[in-house]
Amino acid sequence: MARITRRLKDWAAERRSIGLLGQSVGFVPTMGALHAGHLSLLERARRENDRVVLSIFVNPTQFNDPGDLERYPRTLDRDVELVGSLADHILVPEPEEMYPERFRYRVTETGESLALEGAHRPGHFDGVLTVVLKLLNLVQPHRAYFGEKDRQQLELVQGMVKALHLDLEIVPCPTLRDPDGLALSSRNSRLSPEGRARAPRFPRILRGAPDAPTAAATLQSEGFQVDYVEDRAGVRLGAVRIEGVRLIDNVPL
Ligand code: PAF
């Protein structure tokens, strides 16, 4: 079973002892409510490293909607059970310890982070990049694993690592989907059975429409609230709301 650590000073001692053994560390940052997609990241980290560290931290600074933060599923006991022996360490820090300076210091990317997700969730990527940098500093991994479902997040993290000369590898991992095509997401659990049955139309329309405006119009006509659909560099990215639940996805063109 994985060892759970809550206090950062305890984690620092554990990290030092891993360092003394000269072992490689793979890191999977999450906000919990784990699903098979997270487990696939852990499996890959397990194959490629001596030690695997998972973090579970519902990061308040990346939620621009307080209701969304409040409703975000918190399922720690179930998460720990699911992880089993796929991780050696589970870091579960408290917001007060992660943000002793109350977010006065932050990482801001001033270009790509303002488009797509950033345009609809102002400040979101400041919160993401800041917490990822804090976590990378705490965990000091050799490799960190990020899902391609959050493609813009993945690209911004890769950009930050390069810009700030961080010494680690960011490993992109493919999106896992249910058999009906819906990308696995912690938010799917908030859909009613009826909403869950309609949701797979989202990736199907993204994939099947001849262009982004047609995809957006078709989604709208089927009752999805569309935040954006855009084609960029051979990928179609979209974000929609259904039953007040925000889903994002991307498909290759
Ligand atoms: O993708 C997520 O779950 C979060 O954005 C991350 C990377 C754990 C940062 O809070």
Side-chain angles (χ1 to χ4, degrees), residues 90-102:
I90 304 181
L91 182 59
V92 191
E94 294 295 335
E96 296 71 27
E97 278 214 286
M98 285 299 283
Y99 289 101
E101 85 301 351
R102 293 171 182 263

Side-chain angles (χ1 to χ4, degrees), residues 88-129:
D88 303 298
H89 303 268
I90 304 181
L91 182 59
V92 191
E94 294 295 335
E96 296 71 27
E97 278 214 286
M98 285 299 283
Y99 289 101
E101 85 301 351
R102 293 171 182 263
F103 201 38
R104 278 193 302 120
Y105 291 83
R106 60 185 72 177
V107 180
T108 299
E109 193 276 349
T110 58
E112 288 300 310
S113 69
L114 303 178
L116 303 172
E117 284 302 287
H120 289 270
R121 305 179 69 188
H124 169 66
F125 286 120
D126 284 11
V128 170
L129 292 176

Side-chain angles (χ1 to χ4, degrees), residues 27-32 38 55-63 72 99 121 124-125 127-129 131-132 135 145-147 150 153 157 186:
F27 176 44
V28 179
T30 76
M31 298 205 296
H38 296 113
S55 65
I56 296 180
F57 179 62
V58 182
N59 174 34
T61 65
Q62 70 186 75
F63 287 84
Y72 201 86
Y99 289 101
R121 305 179 69 188
H124 169 66
F125 286 120
V128 170
L129 292 176
V131 82
V132 169
L135 289 166
Y145 296 78
F146 288 83
D150 297 300
Q153 166 175 285
V157 168
S186 308

Side-chain angles (χ1 to χ4, degrees), residues 13-24:
E14 282 181 39
R15 183 63 189 89
R16 269 195 299 278
S17 60
I18 300 170
L20 289 175
L21 298 171
Q23 293 183 319
S24 63

Side-chain angles (χ1 to χ4, degrees), residues 50-172:
D50 300 320
R51 292 269 183 137
V52 177
V53 180
L54 165 77
S55 65
I56 296 180
F57 179 62
V58 182
N59 174 34
T61 65
Q62 70 186 75
F63 287 84
N64 54 320
D65 170 0
D68 195 24
L69 171 61
E70 211 167 287
R71 285 191 300 273
Y72 201 86
R74 289 160 171 86
T75 55
L76 184 62
D77 292 346
R78 190 181 151 276
D79 289 347
V80 171
E81 217 168 286
L82 269 180
V83 168
S85 56
L86 282 177
D88 303 298
H89 303 268
I90 304 181
L91 182 59
V92 191
E94 294 295 335
E96 296 71 27
E97 278 214 286
M98 285 299 283
Y99 289 101
E101 85 301 351
R102 293 171 182 263
F103 201 38
R104 278 193 302 120
Y105 291 83
R106 60 185 72 177
V107 180
T108 299
E109 193 276 349
T110 58
E112 288 300 310
S113 69
L114 303 178
L116 303 172
E117 284 302 287
H120 289 270
R121 305 179 69 188
H124 169 66
F125 286 120
D126 284 11
V128 170
L129 292 176
T130 303
V131 82
V132 169
L133 181 60
K134 283 174 184 264
L135 289 166
L136 293 177
N137 282 336
L138 290 164
V139 175
Q140 299 167 45
H142 297 82
R143 296 178 194 83
Y145 296 78
F146 288 83
E148 287 175 350
K149 184 174 83 66
D150 297 300
R151 180 167 290 273
Q152 202 184 359
Q153 166 175 285
L154 165 66
E155 288 174 4
L156 286 165
V157 168
Q158 285 171 321
M160 175 179 74
V161 164
K162 195 161 175 227
L164 302 186
H165 308 287
L166 304 184
D167 184 17
L168 81 152
E169 184 190 346
I170 299 297
V171 183

